[in-house]
Amino acid sequence: MKLLSLELKNYRNLQKQVLNPHEKVNIIYGDNAQGKTNLVEAIYLLTGQKSFRGAKENELLKFGCENAEILARFFSGGREQEIKIILGKNKNIYINEIKATPNELTGVFNSVIFSPTELSLIKDGPSERRAFLDNAISKIMPRYSAILQNFNKILYQRNTLLSEMKYNKYADKSLLTETLFAWEQSLVKPIYLLINARIRYIDRITPHIKDIYREISKDKEKINIEYIPSIKNLPTDMDRHKCEEIILKSLQDSRQEDIKNGYTTSGPHRDDFNITLNNISARSYGSQGQQRSCALALKIAECRVIEEVTNEKPILLLDDVFSELDKNRKHFFLKQFLDTQIFITSCDKTGIQGIKSGKSFRMVNGEIYSNQK
């Protein structure tokens, strides 16, 4: 997969810009707050995912503008294709000039983001690791996004009822309990599908993670990853009938505790995964270098799985991560992606070593200035 051109209009501080990138390495450099991250963020939005910075869509518009546009031409599936995203009061997406939904966009254009936040995957809280799984799985299993969206809607309804039962002493508890049971039954299927997809994904990336980390550590440490569901006693074979029975019983058994808390205390939204080095928690006891190496292994494994499934290398977006890596990790990282299109943001392009060919772009006040390397 290669990005051929990118046109932006009124996107954050990028009023009207055109980028014609190199097929391999593209360095976007400049002082802070010039628009470097805005550029790679716009590319990442083409995947159908939300902003990796956690921004709301109205925050993506240039101040004072009602709409912003992202137009990308790219090569994938043996042909040139096009995605157009119009942001504003309504979000409109067009794939090859045909109107599409956000879920239909997922899987069409694949890129993987490496940012300081991503390098903190191991030491941060479980919400970051759940987001990693959800985003990674969606890229190779587009319907996963729809399942997750459905789960969140039903979960919201159950949590609303739990809050009502906790705080409204005049509420008809018997009626609310019946309604609660109905929502619990509706939750069973999406909970099973999400947990099963996450466990299967971890099974798939584990061999890659072990292989990658073995090379990073020069075979001095052994890494392992394990999914930790908050719903206990699920069978190891994830038999659907048995799992759905256990899930429903778990929701019912925790009902009083959930009412006391006013929210659902178990389910995919409370799950986590644990990474160990020589059977010791990397999050609790790993050094900063070890934690970053684990995060790198995770993200590189994500790229490998995308390539396995789609037969195409995803585009890499490296947002100010080289300053976070030492010389050996930089060299190792670049060696993994010799034939991949990469976009690197940096304050100073001279600090990026080991790059043979490509283009560099200087960002100044939202303006892009191109220079051949």
Side-chain angles (χ1 to χ4, degrees):
M1 177 170 288
K2 305 289 184 186
L3 180 64
L4 303 177
S5 68
L6 181 71
E7 297 180 26
L8 301 173
K9 182 179 178 182
N10 298 331
Y11 185 86
R12 290 197 184 260
N13 74 326
L14 311 175
Q15 185 171 352
K16 190 174 183 180
Q17 297 296 311
V18 178
L19 178 73
N20 294 301
H22 193 275
E23 64 177 6
K24 290 188 177 179
V25 178
N26 298 274
I27 300 171
I28 301 100
Y29 71 99
D31 294 337
N32 291 328
Q34 301 302 302
K36 303 185 300 293
T37 298
N38 297 343
L39 184 63
V40 295
E41 178 187 46
I43 297 173
Y44 188 71
L45 289 181
L46 297 167
T47 65
Q49 307 287 336
K50 295 180 179 179
S51 166
F52 61 84
R53 302 154 85 181
K56 297 178 181 178
E57 287 189 359
N58 62 353
E59 297 172 344
L60 306 179
L61 308 182
K62 186 176 178 64
F63 183 75
C65 295
E66 295 183 357
N67 298 99
E69 292 184 12
I70 305 171
L71 175 63
R73 295 180 179 86
F74 61 100
F75 189 87
S76 177
R79 63 193 177 102
E80 289 190 15
Q81 301 191 58
E82 179 182 285
I83 291 174
K84 184 175 184 178
I85 300 176
I86 302 174
L87 302 167
K89 186 176 182 181
N90 297 309
K91 183 177 182 179
N92 293 299
I93 297 171
Y94 299 88
I95 303 174
N96 299 322
E97 300 184 345
I98 299 173
K99 194 166 185 178
T101 65
N103 285 338
E104 290 172 329
L105 184 58
T106 303
V108 176
F109 181 97
N110 274 319
S111 68
V112 175
I113 181 71
F114 289 73
S115 68
T117 299
E118 303 291 331
L119 290 180
S120 301
L121 265 173
I122 308 304
K123 66 180 180 181
D124 283 351
S127 63
E128 300 297 329
R129 290 183 286 280
R130 288 193 296 268
F132 163 77
L133 284 179
D134 292 339
N135 292 338
I137 296 170
S138 294
K139 292 170 185 174
I140 60 171
M141 180 184 168
R143 71 186 185 94
Y144 183 88
S145 295
I147 296 168
L148 183 62
Q149 188 176 44
N150 183 45
F151 165 75
N152 285 329
K153 286 180 179 178
I154 301 171
L155 181 67
Y156 175 80
Q157 297 293 340
R158 185 176 191 265
N159 285 344
T160 299
L161 279 175
L162 292 170
S163 180
E164 180 77 5
M165 295 175 80
K166 176 182 180 179
Y167 294 109
N168 188 355
K169 63 181 180 180
Y170 301 107
D172 185 337
K173 295 297 187 350
S174 61
L175 178 61
L176 290 179
T177 300
E178 289 181 13
T179 309
L180 196 61
F181 179 67
W183 286 121
E184 288 165 354
Q185 288 180 308
S186 298
L187 273 174
V188 169
K189 181 179 177 180
I191 287 178
Y192 168 77
L193 292 174
L194 292 177
I195 294 176
N196 186 46
R198 288 176 177 179
I199 289 174
R200 287 191 293 112
Y201 183 79
I202 283 185
D203 287 343
R204 184 161 195 164
I205 65 171
T206 295
H208 292 297
I209 291 173
K210 289 182 176 181
D211 178 58
I212 295 162
Y213 197 87
R214 186 183 301 114
E215 189 172 350
I216 293 176
S217 70
K218 298 180 180 178
D219 210 18
K220 293 178 181 178
E221 298 166 330
K222 292 185 178 180
I223 190 172
N224 197 32
I225 179 171
E226 179 186 10
Y227 189 72
I228 306 173
S230 54
I231 294 175
K232 305 303 180 185
N233 302 316
L234 292 172
T236 54
D237 63 357
M238 289 303 289
D239 176 81
R240 181 162 185 166
H241 178 71
K242 291 179 182 178
C243 284
E244 290 186 348
E245 284 185 345
I246 292 170
I247 291 167
L248 181 59
K249 186 175 187 302
S250 176
L251 289 170
Q252 293 171 343
D253 289 348
S254 64
R255 190 181 292 165
Q256 292 307 311
E257 181 69 17
D258 291 353
I259 292 172
K260 180 181 177 181
N261 287 283
Y263 57 85
T264 305
T265 56
S266 62
H269 62 299
R270 308 287 291 183
D271 294 356
D272 197 359
F273 65 81
N274 186 39
I275 287 185
T276 58
L277 297 175
N278 294 336
N279 298 316
I280 298 173
S281 170
R283 184 190 181 196
S284 300
Y285 301 104
S287 68
Q288 187 176 66
Q290 287 173 319
Q291 290 174 345
R292 285 177 176 170
S293 293
C294 289
L296 273 182
L298 268 177
K299 299 295 292 184
I300 295 171
E302 177 189 355
C303 295
R304 289 188 181 181
V305 169
I306 290 174
E307 185 178 358
E308 280 182 352
V309 174
T310 67
N311 293 316
E312 291 186 325
K313 295 179 182 291
I315 292 168
L316 300 190
L317 308 174
L318 314 183
D319 184 36
D320 198 28
V321 294
F322 271 29
S323 61
E324 303 284 328
L325 302 176
D326 59 30
K327 181 179 178 181
N328 290 335
R329 289 185 178 88
K330 287 179 187 177
H331 176 73
F332 172 82
F333 183 88
L334 288 173
K335 189 173 69 171
Q336 306 302 307
F337 302 107
L338 297 177
D339 298 318
T340 304
Q341 189 178 37
I342 305 177
F343 293 82
I344 304 172
T345 68
S346 175
C347 289
D348 182 3
K349 68 174 181 176
T350 60
I352 302 173
Q353 304 297 326
I355 294 173
K356 303 292 185 183
S357 64
K359 282 184 179 180
S360 62
F361 302 87
R362 187 182 179 194
M363 293 287 296
V364 181
N365 293 326
E367 297 280 343
I368 303 172
Y369 298 90
S370 175
N371 295 291
Q372 190 78 28
K373 274 189 92 278

